[in-house]
Amino acid sequence: MKVNKIIGECLIKMGEADFASKTSYTDTEQKLIDALLAALNIAYREVVCEYLPLVHTETILFKDGEYNVGSLEKKIIYPIKVKKGDAVVAFKAYADRIVAAAEGCATLEYAYMPEELKLTDDIENLRLTQSALSDGALGEYYFANKVFDLAKSFDSSFREKLGFLRYKGRRLMLKERRWQV
């Protein structure tokens, strides 16, 4: 899904005309686009960190049982799995390195932080909906502008939609309990 379509939906929900697809903007339009884009980046990063992580697999080289995570292709949030051949290897993660009982080449699967979104980008997480991201962006936008009632409304809608996506469309049902006297 395109970022400019999400910004366009934000504009429509705000009661504005959808000018996100234009090639040039006035100063006020540019300020609004920049503010909405910054809010969308905050909401998207929260989704990636808390709800629906982006996962990348990379071949790495352990030296003395350690690997410096600063040389990975993408910005790591947390490691998921280390494999040496077909065997999964136990590891310990630190802020700057991963320590494992492995030597030589191994495969690291990790969640990563995406680059900052631009207006012309595509969002790569296919489970997200345009409506959920626009609600999250508007929640952040209105919070930054101190319109707390609208911020709360859009934020609760955003979290409800993400909860639905997180559990793959199933409603989370808790077993009913009895109070014991």
Side-chain angles (χ1 to χ4, degrees):
M1 102 188 71
K2 297 268 189 200
V3 171
N4 64 352
K5 297 290 183 191
I6 297 167
I7 298 295
E9 186 171 328
C10 289
L11 291 168
I12 290 171
K13 286 181 179 179
M14 293 172 71
E16 300 279 334
D18 180 5
F19 54 81
S21 299
K22 290 175 30 179
T23 55
S24 63
Y25 308 108
T26 64
D27 289 340
T28 55
E29 289 174 344
Q30 186 64 49
K31 285 180 185 176
L32 184 57
I33 291 280
D34 291 343
L36 286 173
L37 194 56
L40 177 62
N41 274 304
I42 293 169
Y44 183 58
R45 287 178 182 223
E46 181 179 352
V47 168
V48 168
C49 290
E50 300 291 328
Y51 296 96
L52 304 169
L54 297 172
V55 178
H56 182 67
T57 303
E58 189 173 330
T59 302
I60 61 173
L61 182 66
F62 279 99
K63 188 183 250 183
D64 297 328
E66 291 187 2
Y67 180 75
N68 182 3
V69 295
S71 57
L72 289 171
E73 291 175 8
K74 300 183 183 278
K75 294 178 191 173
I76 186 170
I77 300 173
Y78 56 87
I80 298 171
K81 182 177 13 176
V82 175
K83 288 178 80 174
K84 178 91 170 146
D86 290 336
V88 176
V89 178
F91 65 91
K92 184 146 178 119
Y94 295 96
D96 61 340
R97 68 189 186 283
I98 296 173
V99 177
E103 195 63 38
C105 287
T107 304
L108 173 66
E109 184 176 317
Y110 61 95
Y112 68 93
M113 182 68 70
E115 297 293 322
E116 189 168 315
L117 296 172
K118 296 175 203 65
L119 200 58
T120 57
D121 288 347
D122 280 330
I123 293 184
E124 45 189 285
N125 199 329
L126 299 177
R127 288 182 52 204
L128 283 173
T129 62
Q130 185 171 317
S131 177
L133 280 175
S134 66
D135 285 351
L138 285 172
E140 292 293 333
Y141 173 78
Y142 283 127
F143 182 74
N145 289 309
K146 297 176 179 52
V147 185
F148 297 117
D149 52 342
L150 284 174
K152 182 179 178 185
S153 172
F154 280 111
D155 189 61
S156 62
S157 174
F158 172 62
R159 300 210 183 278
E160 180 182 316
K161 290 174 184 176
L162 285 180
F164 192 69
L165 288 173
R166 184 180 209 179
Y167 297 109
K168 297 176 178 72
R170 297 183 305 255
R171 296 217 181 268
L172 184 63
M173 298 295 289
L174 297 176
K175 186 176 178 182
E176 190 174 318
R177 303 275 184 195
R178 288 184 163 192
W179 288 97
Q180 297 205 358
V181 186

